[in-house]
């Protein structure tokens, strides 16, 4: 268990994502190195921050040549 102000190890961080079949998965960060996140659907649809027009859109990722879901600070 991490103490306030203390360090956190990678095995304490969980990553949630939808697999290629649309099932929600949760795995430790140390186990998701081979997961192709850029090819998967977003876990949730981005929503605008209340009272603002957000940049909810698909953003072009030049590193992968694909569109990625991009949300607001509320996400």
């Amino acid at each position: 268990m991490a103490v306030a102000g203390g360090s956190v190890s990678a095995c304490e961080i969980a990553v949630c994502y939808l697999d290629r079949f649309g099932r929600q998965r949760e795995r430790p960060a140390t186990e998701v190195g081979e997961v192709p996140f850029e090819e998967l659907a977003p876990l949730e649809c981005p929503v605008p921050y209340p009272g603002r027009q957000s940049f909810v859109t698909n953003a072009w990722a030049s590193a992968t040549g694909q569109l990625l879901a991009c949300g607001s600070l509320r996400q």
Side-chain angles (χ1 to χ4, degrees):
M1 184 166 144
V3 178
S7 62
V8 177
S9 68
C11 64
E12 294 177 289
I13 300 172
V15 178
C16 293
Y17 62 96
L18 295 179
D19 68 13
R20 63 189 184 115
F21 301 109
R23 297 176 298 206
Q24 184 172 332
R25 302 289 187 191
E26 183 175 334
R27 301 279 184 263
T30 55
E31 296 178 11
V32 295
E34 299 296 319
V35 175
F37 293 108
E38 65 277 2
E39 297 173 10
L40 302 175
L43 188 60
E44 297 177 8
C45 292
V47 294
Y49 191 79
R52 294 186 184 174
Q53 289 188 352
S54 181
F55 59 89
V56 176
T57 186
N58 287 325
W60 179 255
S62 60
T64 62
Q66 297 178 338
L67 294 174
L68 300 174
C70 188
S72 67
L73 295 176
R74 182 174 174 191
Q75 294 291 118

